[in-house]
């Protein structure tokens, strides 16, 4: 995980070079750290600037990096023992979130906090997904993007238009570890100490989504951390990378010097 943290720090330090070139500069920067300190990248790095963040597995990484937009960076270093990290941070390219970016980011952060709090031994695997989805549904109703009440939204899954994916998965040697496991021991299973999983809620407003106000279009936010189930709760293995919006801004300002 330390190498993954350093890889993210490397990227923040070269954002000006990425602006002068493309998302490929970000991909290459993270790859260098992964190859020098680890075995490899654990999966194709997603270096998604601006509206590319709304494409779930944007790995072409050939787009422009523009000040004022967000960068969604989903990347992880695979260690020499072949275990991989799987971390996402959504960063304001110029170092400061604007008002709407911050509103959306903070909603995803709140959803992730609720999700992480639901990771504990004896809990159901689905609990953290349900907790995070509830927060996101509440926000979407509050912002007037979907009609409430929240219970109806959740029952019909209306929030999924903008949440797009499940809130996490088991993590290990494969980034989507044990993906072929039986339903009763995975999706319908119970968490046990020693298990490691990601909690990664997101909100994605496609550039051509006419159902949301224009200013939302092209904004995608995901925050992803690697959470170890412990005897008495959980431990965030990627906690060294700040997540709260104000802490992200301070961290970026420090790194950019
Ligand atoms: N990096 C792929 C995922 O987050 O599941
Ligand atoms: Mn993941
Ligand atoms: Mn990921």
């Amino acid at each position: 995980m330390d190498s993954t943290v350093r890889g993210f720090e490397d990227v923040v330090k070269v954002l000006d070079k990425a602006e002068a070139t493309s998302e490929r500069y970000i991909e290459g920067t993270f790859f260098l750290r992964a190859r020098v300190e680890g075995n490899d990248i654990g999966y194709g790095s997603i270096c998604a600037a601006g509206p590319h963040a709304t494409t779930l597995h944007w790995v072409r990484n050939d787009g422009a990096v523009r000040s004022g937009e967000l960068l969604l960076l989903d990347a992880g270093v695979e260690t020499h023992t072949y275990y991989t990290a799987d971390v996402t941070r959504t960063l304001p390219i110029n170092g400061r979130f604007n008002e709407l970016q911050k509103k959306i980011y903070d909603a995803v952060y709140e959803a992730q906090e609720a999700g992480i709090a639901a990771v504990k031994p004896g809990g159901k695997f689905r609990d953290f997904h349900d907790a995070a989805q509830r927060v996101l549904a509440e926000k979407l109703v509050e912002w007037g993007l979907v009609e409430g009440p929240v219970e109806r939204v959740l029952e019909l899954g209306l929030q999924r238009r903008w949440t797009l994916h499940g809130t996490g998965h088991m993590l290990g040697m494969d980034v989507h570890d044990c993906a072929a496991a039986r339903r009763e021991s995975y999706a319908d299973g119970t968490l046990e100490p020693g298990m490691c999983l990601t909690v990664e809620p997101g909100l994605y407003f496609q550039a051509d989504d006419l159902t949301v106000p224009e200013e939302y279009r092209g904004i995608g936010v995901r925050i992803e951390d690697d959470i170890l189930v412990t005897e008495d709760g959980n431990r965030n293995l990627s906690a060294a990378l700040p997540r709260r919006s104000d802490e992200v801004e301070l961290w970026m300002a420090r790194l950019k010097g």
Side-chain angles (χ1 to χ4, degrees), residues 16 43 54 104 115 131 154 156 178 211 222 227-228 244 250 252:
D16 56 338
Y43 53 92
T54 65
I104 297 168
L154 288 169
L156 297 175
C178 305
T211 70
R222 176 165 67 254
I227 309 296
L228 176 69
R244 231 176 56 196
L250 283 172
M252 290 184 74

Side-chain angles (χ1 to χ4, degrees), residues 214-234:
E214 198 171 344
E215 63 267 25
Y216 284 73
R217 296 177 204 157
I219 296 180
V221 173
R222 176 165 67 254
I223 314 173
E224 176 173 28
D225 283 81
D226 300 346
I227 309 296
L228 176 69
V229 183
T230 60
E231 296 292 341
D232 55 359
N234 69 61

Side-chain angles (χ1 to χ4, degrees), residues 86 169 198 200 224:
D86 178 11
H169 51 84
T198 70
E200 50 175 310
E224 176 173 28

Side-chain angles (χ1 to χ4, degrees), residues 70 88-91 97 100-118 128 131-139 143 163 167 199-205 220-225 227 236 238-249:
L70 298 175
T88 305
R89 289 293 179 269
T90 304
L91 309 171
F97 292 98
L100 180 61
Q101 290 167 348
K102 184 167 156 29
K103 177 173 102 164
I104 297 168
Y105 184 94
D106 288 347
V108 174
Y109 173 77
E110 207 180 298
Q112 199 203 21
E113 283 284 279
I116 293 172
F128 73 93
Q133 291 282 305
R134 174 170 291 277
V135 172
L136 295 175
E138 284 167 2
K139 298 290 177 186
W143 301 339
T163 65
T167 307
V199 178
E200 50 175 310
L203 279 176
Y204 311 89
F205 300 101
V221 173
R222 176 165 67 254
I223 314 173
E224 176 173 28
D225 283 81
I227 309 296
N236 184 346
S238 37
L241 283 172
R243 290 183 295 130
R244 231 176 56 196
S245 54
D246 56 340
E247 290 174 357
V248 167
E249 289 180 346

